[in-house]
Amino acid sequence: MSKDIQIDIKRTGFPVKVGKVELWFDSSFENLRRYFNVDELAQEKLKVAEERAKHIHFPEEITVESLDEKTVDAAFDVNKEFIAAQYDIIFGDGSFRKIYKEYPDILALEKALEVVGAAIAQRLEEQETSRSKEAKKKQNEYLNKKAKKK
């Protein structure tokens, strides 16, 4: 009877708490490429949202009298989809829905995105410094082993 081999994989990344909601930021090389293109990817999703809202007439000059509920809702939905796209690109699909359920305040979530971005950038910098030190250490160990063999 053969016994299964179990190799555990530790995911690359770190938890990020937005309010009470804990999300996971995947800092693998594969995901970082998406993360560094977040603006571009979010713009693509924004275009889709704007296309859906195209049938609604936005007045040239916006005044309180010119705004009707349908126009306000359409503008809100476009902005909400843009913010949602950014959360979902950064933390994975469904992340925005999870946060918005707990905090249904699009302006607060939009402001939090700036703080999230800055905190993630700082953590990535720390990780890169740590990775560089580890790589240098392994390189030195290898060179020392090689030198001892001679």
mmCIF file of all heavy atoms in Angstrom, residues 80-110:
data_model
loop_
_atom_site.group_PDB
_atom_site.id
_atom_site.type_symbol
_atom_site.label_atom_id
_atom_site.label_comp_id
_atom_site.label_asym_id
_atom_site.label_seq_id
_atom_site.Cartn_x
_atom_site.Cartn_y
_atom_site.Cartn_z
ATOM 1 N N LYS A 80 -19.265 53.705 -9.035
ATOM 2 C CA LYS A 80 -19.227 52.525 -8.168
ATOM 3 C C LYS A 80 -18.548 51.359 -8.889
ATOM 4 O O LYS A 80 -17.722 50.656 -8.302
ATOM 5 C CB LYS A 80 -20.648 52.139 -7.757
ATOM 6 C CG LYS A 80 -20.717 50.957 -6.819
ATOM 7 C CD LYS A 80 -22.153 50.660 -6.443
ATOM 8 C CE LYS A 80 -22.266 49.397 -5.644
ATOM 9 N NZ LYS A 80 -23.671 49.034 -5.385
ATOM 10 N N GLU A 81 -18.853 51.170 -10.163
ATOM 11 C CA GLU A 81 -18.239 50.077 -10.915
ATOM 12 C C GLU A 81 -16.737 50.291 -11.070
ATOM 13 O O GLU A 81 -15.959 49.335 -11.060
ATOM 14 C CB GLU A 81 -18.910 49.902 -12.277
ATOM 15 C CG GLU A 81 -20.273 49.254 -12.121
ATOM 16 C CD GLU A 81 -20.772 48.616 -13.397
ATOM 17 O OE1 GLU A 81 -19.948 48.054 -14.149
ATOM 18 O OE2 GLU A 81 -21.983 48.668 -13.623
ATOM 19 N N PHE A 82 -16.324 51.542 -11.221
ATOM 20 C CA PHE A 82 -14.910 51.853 -11.344
ATOM 21 C C PHE A 82 -14.177 51.518 -10.041
ATOM 22 O O PHE A 82 -13.102 50.903 -10.064
ATOM 23 C CB PHE A 82 -14.738 53.334 -11.705
ATOM 24 C CG PHE A 82 -13.317 53.746 -11.942
ATOM 25 C CD1 PHE A 82 -12.542 53.137 -12.912
ATOM 26 C CD2 PHE A 82 -12.747 54.769 -11.192
ATOM 27 C CE1 PHE A 82 -11.221 53.529 -13.137
ATOM 28 C CE2 PHE A 82 -11.442 55.169 -11.409
ATOM 29 C CZ PHE A 82 -10.679 54.546 -12.388
ATOM 30 N N ILE A 83 -14.748 51.888 -8.915
ATOM 31 C CA ILE A 83 -14.159 51.593 -7.604
ATOM 32 C C ILE A 83 -14.165 50.079 -7.371
ATOM 33 O O ILE A 83 -13.173 49.495 -6.937
ATOM 34 C CB ILE A 83 -14.932 52.309 -6.463
ATOM 35 C CG1 ILE A 83 -14.959 53.822 -6.677
ATOM 36 C CG2 ILE A 83 -14.354 51.952 -5.094
ATOM 37 C CD1 ILE A 83 -13.629 54.487 -6.826
ATOM 38 N N ALA A 84 -15.283 49.442 -7.701
ATOM 39 C CA ALA A 84 -15.406 47.984 -7.535
ATOM 40 C C ALA A 84 -14.342 47.264 -8.352
ATOM 41 O O ALA A 84 -13.716 46.303 -7.875
ATOM 42 C CB ALA A 84 -16.803 47.524 -7.953
ATOM 43 N N ALA A 85 -14.131 47.717 -9.572
ATOM 44 C CA ALA A 85 -13.137 47.085 -10.455
ATOM 45 C C ALA A 85 -11.752 47.135 -9.821
ATOM 46 O O ALA A 85 -11.005 46.142 -9.855
ATOM 47 C CB ALA A 85 -13.126 47.777 -11.815
ATOM 48 N N GLN A 86 -11.421 48.254 -9.213
ATOM 49 C CA GLN A 86 -10.101 48.384 -8.599
ATOM 50 C C GLN A 86 -9.929 47.423 -7.424
ATOM 51 O O GLN A 86 -8.905 46.746 -7.310
ATOM 52 C CB GLN A 86 -9.855 49.831 -8.166
ATOM 53 C CG GLN A 86 -9.717 50.753 -9.377
ATOM 54 C CD GLN A 86 -9.606 52.194 -8.963
ATOM 55 O OE1 GLN A 86 -8.554 52.618 -8.519
ATOM 56 N NE2 GLN A 86 -10.683 52.942 -9.102
ATOM 57 N N TYR A 87 -10.933 47.336 -6.547
ATOM 58 C CA TYR A 87 -10.861 46.392 -5.425
ATOM 59 C C TYR A 87 -10.743 44.959 -5.942
ATOM 60 O O TYR A 87 -9.941 44.169 -5.436
ATOM 61 C CB TYR A 87 -12.092 46.516 -4.515
ATOM 62 C CG TYR A 87 -11.958 47.599 -3.472
ATOM 63 C CD1 TYR A 87 -12.550 48.841 -3.642
ATOM 64 C CD2 TYR A 87 -11.238 47.381 -2.297
ATOM 65 C CE1 TYR A 87 -12.430 49.839 -2.680
ATOM 66 C CE2 TYR A 87 -11.110 48.365 -1.325
ATOM 67 C CZ TYR A 87 -11.710 49.590 -1.525
ATOM 68 O OH TYR A 87 -11.584 50.572 -0.562
ATOM 69 N N ASP A 88 -11.551 44.619 -6.943
ATOM 70 C CA ASP A 88 -11.542 43.246 -7.467
ATOM 71 C C ASP A 88 -10.238 42.909 -8.174
ATOM 72 O O ASP A 88 -9.769 41.778 -8.117
ATOM 73 C CB ASP A 88 -12.740 43.010 -8.387
ATOM 74 C CG ASP A 88 -14.051 42.891 -7.612
ATOM 75 O OD1 ASP A 88 -14.017 42.821 -6.366
ATOM 76 O OD2 ASP A 88 -15.106 42.849 -8.262
ATOM 77 N N ILE A 89 -9.620 43.887 -8.827
ATOM 78 C CA ILE A 89 -8.336 43.646 -9.488
ATOM 79 C C ILE A 89 -7.239 43.459 -8.433
ATOM 80 O O ILE A 89 -6.402 42.566 -8.545
ATOM 81 C CB ILE A 89 -7.973 44.803 -10.446
ATOM 82 C CG1 ILE A 89 -8.938 44.799 -11.648
ATOM 83 C CG2 ILE A 89 -6.529 44.702 -10.923
ATOM 84 C CD1 ILE A 89 -8.940 46.090 -12.454
ATOM 85 N N ILE A 90 -7.270 44.256 -7.394
ATOM 86 C CA ILE A 90 -6.241 44.192 -6.353
ATOM 87 C C ILE A 90 -6.376 42.937 -5.485
ATOM 88 O O ILE A 90 -5.395 42.250 -5.207
ATOM 89 C CB ILE A 90 -6.274 45.457 -5.457
ATOM 90 C CG1 ILE A 90 -5.896 46.684 -6.288
ATOM 91 C CG2 ILE A 90 -5.344 45.314 -4.253
ATOM 92 C CD1 ILE A 90 -6.144 48.019 -5.590
ATOM 93 N N PHE A 91 -7.619 42.614 -5.081
ATOM 94 C CA PHE A 91 -7.827 41.529 -4.114
ATOM 95 C C PHE A 91 -8.543 40.303 -4.673
ATOM 96 O O PHE A 91 -8.759 39.343 -3.949
ATOM 97 C CB PHE A 91 -8.619 42.053 -2.909
ATOM 98 C CG PHE A 91 -7.903 43.112 -2.141
ATOM 99 C CD1 PHE A 91 -8.340 44.428 -2.166
ATOM 100 C CD2 PHE A 91 -6.774 42.817 -1.389
ATOM 101 C CE1 PHE A 91 -7.683 45.421 -1.448
ATOM 102 C CE2 PHE A 91 -6.103 43.797 -0.672
ATOM 103 C CZ PHE A 91 -6.568 45.094 -0.703
ATOM 104 N N GLY A 92 -8.962 40.341 -5.921
ATOM 105 C CA GLY A 92 -9.657 39.195 -6.494
ATOM 106 C C GLY A 92 -11.144 39.461 -6.635
ATOM 107 O O GLY A 92 -11.715 40.288 -5.909
ATOM 108 N N ASP A 93 -11.749 38.773 -7.586
ATOM 109 C CA ASP A 93 -13.172 38.960 -7.864
ATOM 110 C C ASP A 93 -14.025 38.723 -6.618
ATOM 111 O O ASP A 93 -13.769 37.796 -5.853
ATOM 112 C CB ASP A 93 -13.628 38.013 -8.983
ATOM 113 C CG ASP A 93 -13.052 38.414 -10.327
ATOM 114 O OD1 ASP A 93 -12.607 39.574 -10.468
ATOM 115 O OD2 ASP A 93 -13.043 37.566 -11.241
ATOM 116 N N GLY A 94 -15.003 39.568 -6.437
ATOM 117 C CA GLY A 94 -15.927 39.453 -5.312
ATOM 118 C C GLY A 94 -15.490 40.236 -4.076
ATOM 119 O O GLY A 94 -16.261 40.362 -3.121
ATOM 120 N N SER A 95 -14.276 40.770 -4.097
ATOM 121 C CA SER A 95 -13.772 41.501 -2.930
ATOM 122 C C SER A 95 -14.585 42.755 -2.649
ATOM 123 O O SER A 95 -14.918 43.046 -1.500
ATOM 124 C CB SER A 95 -12.307 41.888 -3.123
ATOM 125 O OG SER A 95 -11.522 40.741 -3.265
ATOM 126 N N PHE A 96 -14.906 43.498 -3.714
ATOM 127 C CA PHE A 96 -15.653 44.738 -3.503
ATOM 128 C C PHE A 96 -17.020 44.435 -2.883
ATOM 129 O O PHE A 96 -17.450 45.112 -1.953
ATOM 130 C CB PHE A 96 -15.835 45.516 -4.808
ATOM 131 C CG PHE A 96 -16.668 46.760 -4.622
ATOM 132 C CD1 PHE A 96 -16.125 47.887 -4.039
ATOM 133 C CD2 PHE A 96 -18.006 46.782 -4.988
ATOM 134 C CE1 PHE A 96 -16.886 49.028 -3.828
ATOM 135 C CE2 PHE A 96 -18.780 47.921 -4.785
ATOM 136 C CZ PHE A 96 -18.213 49.038 -4.208
ATOM 137 N N ARG A 97 -17.683 43.427 -3.413
ATOM 138 C CA ARG A 97 -19.011 43.063 -2.902
ATOM 139 C C ARG A 97 -18.943 42.764 -1.406
ATOM 140 O O ARG A 97 -19.805 43.176 -0.630
ATOM 141 C CB ARG A 97 -19.533 41.841 -3.671
ATOM 142 C CG ARG A 97 -21.026 41.680 -3.620
ATOM 143 C CD ARG A 97 -21.559 40.571 -4.514
ATOM 144 N NE ARG A 97 -20.904 40.520 -5.814
ATOM 145 C CZ ARG A 97 -20.247 39.456 -6.278
ATOM 146 N NH1 ARG A 97 -20.174 38.351 -5.579
ATOM 147 N NH2 ARG A 97 -19.683 39.488 -7.459
ATOM 148 N N LYS A 98 -17.886 42.074 -0.999
ATOM 149 C CA LYS A 98 -17.670 41.720 0.403
ATOM 150 C C LYS A 98 -17.512 42.986 1.266
ATOM 151 O O LYS A 98 -18.104 43.099 2.336
ATOM 152 C CB LYS A 98 -16.409 40.851 0.477
ATOM 153 C CG LYS A 98 -16.168 40.156 1.753
ATOM 154 C CD LYS A 98 -14.940 39.252 1.569
ATOM 155 C CE LYS A 98 -14.541 38.568 2.832
ATOM 156 N NZ LYS A 98 -13.350 37.745 2.661
ATOM 157 N N ILE A 99 -16.720 43.937 0.788
ATOM 158 C CA ILE A 99 -16.491 45.177 1.546
ATOM 159 C C ILE A 99 -17.735 46.057 1.527
ATOM 160 O O ILE A 99 -18.123 46.616 2.549
ATOM 161 C CB ILE A 99 -15.303 45.976 0.955
ATOM 162 C CG1 ILE A 99 -14.020 45.177 1.056
ATOM 163 C CG2 ILE A 99 -15.134 47.306 1.660
ATOM 164 C CD1 ILE A 99 -12.871 45.788 0.302
ATOM 165 N N TYR A 100 -18.349 46.176 0.352
ATOM 166 C CA TYR A 100 -19.508 47.063 0.202
ATOM 167 C C TYR A 100 -20.692 46.577 1.042
ATOM 168 O O TYR A 100 -21.472 47.379 1.541
ATOM 169 C CB TYR A 100 -19.903 47.173 -1.276
ATOM 170 C CG TYR A 100 -20.900 48.277 -1.555
ATOM 171 C CD1 TYR A 100 -20.509 49.612 -1.519
ATOM 172 C CD2 TYR A 100 -22.222 47.988 -1.839
ATOM 173 C CE1 TYR A 100 -21.411 50.631 -1.767
ATOM 174 C CE2 TYR A 100 -23.137 49.004 -2.088
ATOM 175 C CZ TYR A 100 -22.728 50.319 -2.053
ATOM 176 O OH TYR A 100 -23.631 51.329 -2.292
ATOM 177 N N LYS A 101 -20.780 45.268 1.226
ATOM 178 C CA LYS A 101 -21.856 44.711 2.063
ATOM 179 C C LYS A 101 -21.696 45.208 3.505
ATOM 180 O O LYS A 101 -22.661 45.548 4.165
ATOM 181 C CB LYS A 101 -21.811 43.175 2.019
ATOM 182 C CG LYS A 101 -22.913 42.506 2.775
ATOM 183 C CD LYS A 101 -22.816 40.997 2.652
ATOM 184 C CE LYS A 101 -23.938 40.342 3.438
ATOM 185 N NZ LYS A 101 -23.798 38.894 3.477
ATOM 186 N N GLU A 102 -20.453 45.275 3.953
ATOM 187 C CA GLU A 102 -20.152 45.733 5.321
ATOM 188 C C GLU A 102 -20.160 47.259 5.420
ATOM 189 O O GLU A 102 -20.575 47.827 6.418
ATOM 190 C CB GLU A 102 -18.789 45.185 5.747
ATOM 191 C CG GLU A 102 -18.433 45.426 7.188
ATOM 192 C CD GLU A 102 -19.258 44.616 8.170
ATOM 193 O OE1 GLU A 102 -19.608 43.464 7.872
ATOM 194 O OE2 GLU A 102 -19.566 45.165 9.253
ATOM 195 N N TYR A 103 -19.673 47.927 4.358
ATOM 196 C CA TYR A 103 -19.559 49.386 4.339
ATOM 197 C C TYR A 103 -20.163 49.949 3.055
ATOM 198 O O TYR A 103 -19.438 50.244 2.100
ATOM 199 C CB TYR A 103 -18.083 49.822 4.428
ATOM 200 C CG TYR A 103 -17.390 49.305 5.664
ATOM 201 C CD1 TYR A 103 -16.549 48.191 5.594
ATOM 202 C CD2 TYR A 103 -17.588 49.914 6.893
ATOM 203 C CE1 TYR A 103 -15.922 47.702 6.730
ATOM 204 C CE2 TYR A 103 -16.964 49.435 8.034
ATOM 205 C CZ TYR A 103 -16.135 48.328 7.949
ATOM 206 O OH TYR A 103 -15.517 47.849 9.073
ATOM 207 N N PRO A 104 -21.468 50.107 3.004
ATOM 208 C CA PRO A 104 -22.105 50.638 1.784
ATOM 209 C C PRO A 104 -21.939 52.160 1.663
ATOM 210 O O PRO A 104 -22.904 52.913 1.727
ATOM 211 C CB PRO A 104 -23.562 50.216 1.942
ATOM 212 C CG PRO A 104 -23.771 50.138 3.426
ATOM 213 C CD PRO A 104 -22.453 49.738 4.010
ATOM 214 N N ASP A 105 -20.694 52.594 1.499
ATOM 215 C CA ASP A 105 -20.362 54.013 1.409
ATOM 216 C C ASP A 105 -19.262 54.165 0.356
ATOM 217 O O ASP A 105 -18.077 54.019 0.655
ATOM 218 C CB ASP A 105 -19.885 54.508 2.780
ATOM 219 C CG ASP A 105 -19.543 55.991 2.791
ATOM 220 O OD1 ASP A 105 -19.373 56.596 1.707
ATOM 221 O OD2 ASP A 105 -19.416 56.548 3.900
ATOM 222 N N ILE A 106 -19.659 54.434 -0.867
ATOM 223 C CA ILE A 106 -18.721 54.442 -1.991
ATOM 224 C C ILE A 106 -17.628 55.499 -1.827
ATOM 225 O O ILE A 106 -16.473 55.261 -2.194
ATOM 226 C CB ILE A 106 -19.471 54.575 -3.347
ATOM 227 C CG1 ILE A 106 -18.574 54.116 -4.501
ATOM 228 C CG2 ILE A 106 -19.943 55.972 -3.599
ATOM 229 C CD1 ILE A 106 -18.279 52.659 -4.496
ATOM 230 N N LEU A 107 -17.960 56.650 -1.256
ATOM 231 C CA LEU A 107 -16.940 57.688 -1.063
ATOM 232 C C LEU A 107 -15.874 57.246 -0.064
ATOM 233 O O LEU A 107 -14.680 57.461 -0.287
ATOM 234 C CB LEU A 107 -17.582 59.006 -0.612
ATOM 235 C CG LEU A 107 -18.471 59.693 -1.651
ATOM 236 C CD1 LEU A 107 -19.114 60.941 -1.056
ATOM 237 C CD2 LEU A 107 -17.675 60.047 -2.890
ATOM 238 N N ALA A 108 -16.299 56.620 1.018
ATOM 239 C CA ALA A 108 -15.343 56.125 2.014
ATOM 240 C C ALA A 108 -14.469 55.029 1.411
ATOM 241 O O ALA A 108 -13.253 54.993 1.648
ATOM 242 C CB ALA A 108 -16.080 55.587 3.239
ATOM 243 N N LEU A 109 -15.057 54.156 0.613
ATOM 244 C CA LEU A 109 -14.296 53.063 -0.003
ATOM 245 C C LEU A 109 -13.339 53.588 -1.069
ATOM 246 O O LEU A 109 -12.246 53.047 -1.250
ATOM 247 C CB LEU A 109 -15.239 52.011 -0.580
ATOM 248 C CG LEU A 109 -16.080 51.272 0.476
ATOM 249 C CD1 LEU A 109 -17.037 50.300 -0.181
ATOM 250 C CD2 LEU A 109 -15.186 50.566 1.478
ATOM 251 N N GLU A 110 -13.742 54.660 -1.750
ATOM 252 C CA GLU A 110 -12.861 55.283 -2.738
ATOM 253 C C GLU A 110 -11.642 55.888 -2.041
ATOM 254 O O GLU A 110 -10.507 55.717 -2.477
ATOM 255 C CB GLU A 110 -13.618 56.353 -3.515
ATOM 256 C CG GLU A 110 -12.826 56.971 -4.638
ATOM 257 C CD GLU A 110 -13.658 57.941 -5.477
ATOM 258 O OE1 GLU A 110 -14.720 58.411 -5.000
ATOM 259 O OE2 GLU A 110 -13.240 58.232 -6.602
#
